[in-house]
Amino acid sequence: MNEFDLAAYSGHWVALLQTQVVGFGDSPQAALTLARHNRPKDRFVLRFVEDEDGALLEIPPLLEKLRPFFLNQSQP
């Protein structure tokens, strides 16, 4: 289980700043747009809340290693 409760965001994307939800939406772009509106100078982690208990979708280790590469791309 998560160290923080995300059950209210089940089936949505969330933008996280450590353990704080600073944006959410039906798509990663919607969550990021709201997060940037709320906290324009911060960097966020986007995750999908998978089910009603608030579990985050697990990201495979290889994708975690490639995350910096993807973040620097001009296209989502």
Side-chain angles (χ1 to χ4, degrees), residues 57-72:
L57 182 66
E58 291 296 320
I59 297 178
L62 178 59
L63 288 180
E64 283 291 345
K65 288 181 182 177
L66 293 172
R67 179 186 294 259
F69 169 76
F70 290 128
L71 288 174
N72 289 322

mmCIF file with all atom_site columns, all heavy atoms in Angstrom, residues 57-72:
data_model
loop_
_atom_site.group_PDB
_atom_site.id
_atom_site.type_symbol
_atom_site.label_atom_id
_atom_site.label_alt_id
_atom_site.label_comp_id
_atom_site.label_asym_id
_atom_site.label_entity_id
_atom_site.label_seq_id
_atom_site.pdbx_PDB_ins_code
_atom_site.Cartn_x
_atom_site.Cartn_y
_atom_site.Cartn_z
_atom_site.occupancy
_atom_site.B_iso_or_equiv
_atom_site.pdbx_formal_charge
_atom_site.auth_seq_id
_atom_site.auth_comp_id
_atom_site.auth_asym_id
_atom_site.auth_atom_id
_atom_site.pdbx_PDB_model_num
ATOM 1   N N   . LEU A 1 57 ? 0.194  2.807  -10.545 1.00 0.00 ? 57 LEU A N   1
ATOM 2   C CA  . LEU A 1 57 ? 0.614  1.872  -11.566 1.00 0.00 ? 57 LEU A CA  1
ATOM 3   C C   . LEU A 1 57 ? 2.126  1.710  -11.455 1.00 0.00 ? 57 LEU A C   1
ATOM 4   O O   . LEU A 1 57 ? 2.864  2.697  -11.439 1.00 0.00 ? 57 LEU A O   1
ATOM 5   C CB  . LEU A 1 57 ? 0.228  2.404  -12.954 1.00 0.00 ? 57 LEU A CB  1
ATOM 6   C CG  . LEU A 1 57 ? 0.547  1.518  -14.145 1.00 0.00 ? 57 LEU A CG  1
ATOM 7   C CD1 . LEU A 1 57 ? -0.285 0.241  -14.081 1.00 0.00 ? 57 LEU A CD1 1
ATOM 8   C CD2 . LEU A 1 57 ? 0.255  2.259  -15.423 1.00 0.00 ? 57 LEU A CD2 1
ATOM 9   N N   . GLU A 1 58 ? 2.576  0.479  -11.362 1.00 0.00 ? 58 GLU A N   1
ATOM 10  C CA  . GLU A 1 58 ? 4.008  0.228  -11.242 1.00 0.00 ? 58 GLU A CA  1
ATOM 11  C C   . GLU A 1 58 ? 4.714  0.499  -12.565 1.00 0.00 ? 58 GLU A C   1
ATOM 12  O O   . GLU A 1 58 ? 4.223  0.127  -13.635 1.00 0.00 ? 58 GLU A O   1
ATOM 13  C CB  . GLU A 1 58 ? 4.256  -1.215 -10.820 1.00 0.00 ? 58 GLU A CB  1
ATOM 14  C CG  . GLU A 1 58 ? 3.814  -1.510 -9.414  1.00 0.00 ? 58 GLU A CG  1
ATOM 15  C CD  . GLU A 1 58 ? 4.590  -0.725 -8.370  1.00 0.00 ? 58 GLU A CD  1
ATOM 16  O OE1 . GLU A 1 58 ? 5.818  -0.563 -8.508  1.00 0.00 ? 58 GLU A OE1 1
ATOM 17  O OE2 . GLU A 1 58 ? 3.955  -0.272 -7.413  1.00 0.00 ? 58 GLU A OE2 1
ATOM 18  N N   . ILE A 1 59 ? 5.851  1.159  -12.497 1.00 0.00 ? 59 ILE A N   1
ATOM 19  C CA  . ILE A 1 59 ? 6.653  1.439  -13.683 1.00 0.00 ? 59 ILE A CA  1
ATOM 20  C C   . ILE A 1 59 ? 7.849  0.497  -13.665 1.00 0.00 ? 59 ILE A C   1
ATOM 21  O O   . ILE A 1 59 ? 8.587  0.447  -12.671 1.00 0.00 ? 59 ILE A O   1
ATOM 22  C CB  . ILE A 1 59 ? 7.106  2.911  -13.701 1.00 0.00 ? 59 ILE A CB  1
ATOM 23  C CG1 . ILE A 1 59 ? 5.888  3.821  -13.788 1.00 0.00 ? 59 ILE A CG1 1
ATOM 24  C CG2 . ILE A 1 59 ? 8.071  3.172  -14.847 1.00 0.00 ? 59 ILE A CG2 1
ATOM 25  C CD1 . ILE A 1 59 ? 6.203  5.288  -13.754 1.00 0.00 ? 59 ILE A CD1 1
ATOM 26  N N   . PRO A 1 60 ? 8.044  -0.277 -14.739 1.00 0.00 ? 60 PRO A N   1
ATOM 27  C CA  . PRO A 1 60 ? 9.171  -1.211 -14.779 1.00 0.00 ? 60 PRO A CA  1
ATOM 28  C C   . PRO A 1 60 ? 10.508 -0.488 -14.596 1.00 0.00 ? 60 PRO A C   1
ATOM 29  O O   . PRO A 1 60 ? 10.660 0.675  -15.002 1.00 0.00 ? 60 PRO A O   1
ATOM 30  C CB  . PRO A 1 60 ? 9.079  -1.824 -16.183 1.00 0.00 ? 60 PRO A CB  1
ATOM 31  C CG  . PRO A 1 60 ? 7.663  -1.612 -16.607 1.00 0.00 ? 60 PRO A CG  1
ATOM 32  C CD  . PRO A 1 60 ? 7.238  -0.335 -15.947 1.00 0.00 ? 60 PRO A CD  1
ATOM 33  N N   . PRO A 1 61 ? 11.490 -1.158 -13.987 1.00 0.00 ? 61 PRO A N   1
ATOM 34  C CA  . PRO A 1 61 ? 12.798 -0.531 -13.731 1.00 0.00 ? 61 PRO A CA  1
ATOM 35  C C   . PRO A 1 61 ? 13.461 0.043  -14.978 1.00 0.00 ? 61 PRO A C   1
ATOM 36  O O   . PRO A 1 61 ? 14.095 1.086  -14.908 1.00 0.00 ? 61 PRO A O   1
ATOM 37  C CB  . PRO A 1 61 ? 13.632 -1.676 -13.135 1.00 0.00 ? 61 PRO A CB  1
ATOM 38  C CG  . PRO A 1 61 ? 12.625 -2.613 -12.550 1.00 0.00 ? 61 PRO A CG  1
ATOM 39  C CD  . PRO A 1 61 ? 11.411 -2.511 -13.429 1.00 0.00 ? 61 PRO A CD  1
ATOM 40  N N   . LEU A 1 62 ? 13.316 -0.621 -16.116 1.00 0.00 ? 62 LEU A N   1
ATOM 41  C CA  . LEU A 1 62 ? 13.925 -0.104 -17.338 1.00 0.00 ? 62 LEU A CA  1
ATOM 42  C C   . LEU A 1 62 ? 13.345 1.256  -17.708 1.00 0.00 ? 62 LEU A C   1
ATOM 43  O O   . LEU A 1 62 ? 14.082 2.182  -18.072 1.00 0.00 ? 62 LEU A O   1
ATOM 44  C CB  . LEU A 1 62 ? 13.735 -1.086 -18.500 1.00 0.00 ? 62 LEU A CB  1
ATOM 45  C CG  . LEU A 1 62 ? 14.283 -0.623 -19.852 1.00 0.00 ? 62 LEU A CG  1
ATOM 46  C CD1 . LEU A 1 62 ? 15.778 -0.352 -19.770 1.00 0.00 ? 62 LEU A CD1 1
ATOM 47  C CD2 . LEU A 1 62 ? 13.978 -1.643 -20.919 1.00 0.00 ? 62 LEU A CD2 1
ATOM 48  N N   . LEU A 1 63 ? 12.036 1.423  -17.582 1.00 0.00 ? 63 LEU A N   1
ATOM 49  C CA  . LEU A 1 63 ? 11.430 2.717  -17.886 1.00 0.00 ? 63 LEU A CA  1
ATOM 50  C C   . LEU A 1 63 ? 11.856 3.786  -16.889 1.00 0.00 ? 63 LEU A C   1
ATOM 51  O O   . LEU A 1 63 ? 12.004 4.952  -17.251 1.00 0.00 ? 63 LEU A O   1
ATOM 52  C CB  . LEU A 1 63 ? 9.908  2.603  -17.926 1.00 0.00 ? 63 LEU A CB  1
ATOM 53  C CG  . LEU A 1 63 ? 9.342  1.868  -19.127 1.00 0.00 ? 63 LEU A CG  1
ATOM 54  C CD1 . LEU A 1 63 ? 7.825  1.822  -19.050 1.00 0.00 ? 63 LEU A CD1 1
ATOM 55  C CD2 . LEU A 1 63 ? 9.781  2.511  -20.423 1.00 0.00 ? 63 LEU A CD2 1
ATOM 56  N N   . GLU A 1 64 ? 12.059 3.390  -15.631 1.00 0.00 ? 64 GLU A N   1
ATOM 57  C CA  . GLU A 1 64 ? 12.564 4.351  -14.641 1.00 0.00 ? 64 GLU A CA  1
ATOM 58  C C   . GLU A 1 64 ? 13.948 4.849  -15.048 1.00 0.00 ? 64 GLU A C   1
ATOM 59  O O   . GLU A 1 64 ? 14.256 6.029  -14.912 1.00 0.00 ? 64 GLU A O   1
ATOM 60  C CB  . GLU A 1 64 ? 12.621 3.724  -13.249 1.00 0.00 ? 64 GLU A CB  1
ATOM 61  C CG  . GLU A 1 64 ? 11.294 3.611  -12.564 1.00 0.00 ? 64 GLU A CG  1
ATOM 62  C CD  . GLU A 1 64 ? 10.698 4.950  -12.151 1.00 0.00 ? 64 GLU A CD  1
ATOM 63  O OE1 . GLU A 1 64 ? 11.404 5.979  -12.130 1.00 0.00 ? 64 GLU A OE1 1
ATOM 64  O OE2 . GLU A 1 64 ? 9.498  4.959  -11.865 1.00 0.00 ? 64 GLU A OE2 1
ATOM 65  N N   . LYS A 1 65 ? 14.785 3.956  -15.568 1.00 0.00 ? 65 LYS A N   1
ATOM 66  C CA  . LYS A 1 65 ? 16.126 4.359  -16.010 1.00 0.00 ? 65 LYS A CA  1
ATOM 67  C C   . LYS A 1 65 ? 16.062 5.275  -17.234 1.00 0.00 ? 65 LYS A C   1
ATOM 68  O O   . LYS A 1 65 ? 16.905 6.153  -17.397 1.00 0.00 ? 65 LYS A O   1
ATOM 69  C CB  . LYS A 1 65 ? 16.969 3.127  -16.335 1.00 0.00 ? 65 LYS A CB  1
ATOM 70  C CG  . LYS A 1 65 ? 17.378 2.352  -15.113 1.00 0.00 ? 65 LYS A CG  1
ATOM 71  C CD  . LYS A 1 65 ? 18.222 1.157  -15.494 1.00 0.00 ? 65 LYS A CD  1
ATOM 72  C CE  . LYS A 1 65 ? 18.594 0.356  -14.272 1.00 0.00 ? 65 LYS A CE  1
ATOM 73  N NZ  . LYS A 1 65 ? 19.362 -0.847 -14.616 1.00 0.00 ? 65 LYS A NZ  1
ATOM 74  N N   . LEU A 1 66 ? 15.066 5.061  -18.086 1.00 0.00 ? 66 LEU A N   1
ATOM 75  C CA  . LEU A 1 66 ? 14.921 5.867  -19.297 1.00 0.00 ? 66 LEU A CA  1
ATOM 76  C C   . LEU A 1 66 ? 14.163 7.173  -19.054 1.00 0.00 ? 66 LEU A C   1
ATOM 77  O O   . LEU A 1 66 ? 14.107 8.032  -19.935 1.00 0.00 ? 66 LEU A O   1
ATOM 78  C CB  . LEU A 1 66 ? 14.201 5.059  -20.386 1.00 0.00 ? 66 LEU A CB  1
ATOM 79  C CG  . LEU A 1 66 ? 14.976 3.877  -20.940 1.00 0.00 ? 66 LEU A CG  1
ATOM 80  C CD1 . LEU A 1 66 ? 14.095 3.048  -21.853 1.00 0.00 ? 66 LEU A CD1 1
ATOM 81  C CD2 . LEU A 1 66 ? 16.225 4.333  -21.665 1.00 0.00 ? 66 LEU A CD2 1
ATOM 82  N N   . ARG A 1 67 ? 13.573 7.344  -17.881 1.00 0.00 ? 67 ARG A N   1
ATOM 83  C CA  . ARG A 1 67 ? 12.772 8.533  -17.574 1.00 0.00 ? 67 ARG A CA  1
ATOM 84  C C   . ARG A 1 67 ? 13.509 9.835  -17.880 1.00 0.00 ? 67 ARG A C   1
ATOM 85  O O   . ARG A 1 67 ? 12.946 10.726 -18.517 1.00 0.00 ? 67 ARG A O   1
ATOM 86  C CB  . ARG A 1 67 ? 12.308 8.516  -16.127 1.00 0.00 ? 67 ARG A CB  1
ATOM 87  C CG  . ARG A 1 67 ? 11.493 9.729  -15.746 1.00 0.00 ? 67 ARG A CG  1
ATOM 88  C CD  . ARG A 1 67 ? 11.189 9.730  -14.260 1.00 0.00 ? 67 ARG A CD  1
ATOM 89  N NE  . ARG A 1 67 ? 10.331 8.653  -13.894 1.00 0.00 ? 67 ARG A NE  1
ATOM 90  C CZ  . ARG A 1 67 ? 9.030  8.760  -13.671 1.00 0.00 ? 67 ARG A CZ  1
ATOM 91  N NH1 . ARG A 1 67 ? 8.461  9.939  -13.754 1.00 0.00 ? 67 ARG A NH1 1
ATOM 92  N NH2 . ARG A 1 67 ? 8.310  7.729  -13.345 1.00 0.00 ? 67 ARG A NH2 1
ATOM 93  N N   . PRO A 1 68 ? 14.776 10.024 -17.474 1.00 0.00 ? 68 PRO A N   1
ATOM 94  C CA  . PRO A 1 68 ? 15.454 11.294 -17.785 1.00 0.00 ? 68 PRO A CA  1
ATOM 95  C C   . PRO A 1 68 ? 15.532 11.568 -19.289 1.00 0.00 ? 68 PRO A C   1
ATOM 96  O O   . PRO A 1 68 ? 15.372 12.705 -19.721 1.00 0.00 ? 68 PRO A O   1
ATOM 97  C CB  . PRO A 1 68 ? 16.856 11.118 -17.190 1.00 0.00 ? 68 PRO A CB  1
ATOM 98  C CG  . PRO A 1 68 ? 16.684 10.095 -16.127 1.00 0.00 ? 68 PRO A CG  1
ATOM 99  C CD  . PRO A 1 68 ? 15.609 9.169  -16.626 1.00 0.00 ? 68 PRO A CD  1
ATOM 100 N N   . PHE A 1 69 ? 15.749 10.532 -20.084 1.00 0.00 ? 69 PHE A N   1
ATOM 101 C CA  . PHE A 1 69 ? 15.784 10.697 -21.531 1.00 0.00 ? 69 PHE A CA  1
ATOM 102 C C   . PHE A 1 69 ? 14.434 11.191 -22.048 1.00 0.00 ? 69 PHE A C   1
ATOM 103 O O   . PHE A 1 69 ? 14.355 12.149 -22.821 1.00 0.00 ? 69 PHE A O   1
ATOM 104 C CB  . PHE A 1 69 ? 16.156 9.379  -22.213 1.00 0.00 ? 69 PHE A CB  1
ATOM 105 C CG  . PHE A 1 69 ? 15.971 9.383  -23.695 1.00 0.00 ? 69 PHE A CG  1
ATOM 106 C CD1 . PHE A 1 69 ? 16.886 10.034 -24.508 1.00 0.00 ? 69 PHE A CD1 1
ATOM 107 C CD2 . PHE A 1 69 ? 14.886 8.776  -24.271 1.00 0.00 ? 69 PHE A CD2 1
ATOM 108 C CE1 . PHE A 1 69 ? 16.710 10.054 -25.882 1.00 0.00 ? 69 PHE A CE1 1
ATOM 109 C CE2 . PHE A 1 69 ? 14.687 8.791  -25.642 1.00 0.00 ? 69 PHE A CE2 1
ATOM 110 C CZ  . PHE A 1 69 ? 15.610 9.428  -26.450 1.00 0.00 ? 69 PHE A CZ  1
ATOM 111 N N   . PHE A 1 70 ? 13.334 10.543 -21.604 1.00 0.00 ? 70 PHE A N   1
ATOM 112 C CA  . PHE A 1 70 ? 12.002 10.919 -22.062 1.00 0.00 ? 70 PHE A CA  1
ATOM 113 C C   . PHE A 1 70 ? 11.608 12.320 -21.610 1.00 0.00 ? 70 PHE A C   1
ATOM 114 O O   . PHE A 1 70 ? 10.939 13.053 -22.329 1.00 0.00 ? 70 PHE A O   1
ATOM 115 C CB  . PHE A 1 70 ? 10.960 9.911  -21.584 1.00 0.00 ? 70 PHE A CB  1
ATOM 116 C CG  . PHE A 1 70 ? 11.078 8.568  -22.263 1.00 0.00 ? 70 PHE A CG  1
ATOM 117 C CD1 . PHE A 1 70 ? 11.143 7.411  -21.519 1.00 0.00 ? 70 PHE A CD1 1
ATOM 118 C CD2 . PHE A 1 70 ? 11.129 8.460  -23.647 1.00 0.00 ? 70 PHE A CD2 1
ATOM 119 C CE1 . PHE A 1 70 ? 11.253 6.170  -22.133 1.00 0.00 ? 70 PHE A CE1 1
ATOM 120 C CE2 . PHE A 1 70 ? 11.236 7.230  -24.265 1.00 0.00 ? 70 PHE A CE2 1
ATOM 121 C CZ  . PHE A 1 70 ? 11.292 6.079  -23.503 1.00 0.00 ? 70 PHE A CZ  1
ATOM 122 N N   . LEU A 1 71 ? 12.021 12.721 -20.435 1.00 0.00 ? 71 LEU A N   1
ATOM 123 C CA  . LEU A 1 71 ? 11.671 14.034 -19.925 1.00 0.00 ? 71 LEU A CA  1
ATOM 124 C C   . LEU A 1 71 ? 12.307 15.159 -20.739 1.00 0.00 ? 71 LEU A C   1
ATOM 125 O O   . LEU A 1 71 ? 11.790 16.277 -20.777 1.00 0.00 ? 71 LEU A O   1
ATOM 126 C CB  . LEU A 1 71 ? 12.073 14.174 -18.454 1.00 0.00 ? 71 LEU A CB  1
ATOM 127 C CG  . LEU A 1 71 ? 11.239 13.383 -17.464 1.00 0.00 ? 71 LEU A CG  1
ATOM 128 C CD1 . LEU A 1 71 ? 11.827 13.490 -16.072 1.00 0.00 ? 71 LEU A CD1 1
ATOM 129 C CD2 . LEU A 1 71 ? 9.791  13.841 -17.470 1.00 0.00 ? 71 LEU A CD2 1
ATOM 130 N N   . ASN A 1 72 ? 13.428 14.871 -21.393 1.00 0.00 ? 72 ASN A N   1
ATOM 131 C CA  . ASN A 1 72 ? 14.118 15.889 -22.189 1.00 0.00 ? 72 ASN A CA  1
ATOM 132 C C   . ASN A 1 72 ? 13.662 15.954 -23.642 1.00 0.00 ? 72 ASN A C   1
ATOM 133 O O   . ASN A 1 72 ? 14.188 16.747 -24.411 1.00 0.00 ? 72 ASN A O   1
ATOM 134 C CB  . ASN A 1 72 ? 15.628 15.647 -22.141 1.00 0.00 ? 72 ASN A CB  1
ATOM 135 C CG  . ASN A 1 72 ? 16.186 15.984 -20.775 1.00 0.00 ? 72 ASN A CG  1
ATOM 136 O OD1 . ASN A 1 72 ? 15.761 16.934 -20.145 1.00 0.00 ? 72 ASN A OD1 1
ATOM 137 N ND2 . ASN A 1 72 ? 17.141 15.183 -20.313 1.00 0.00 ? 72 ASN A ND2 1
#
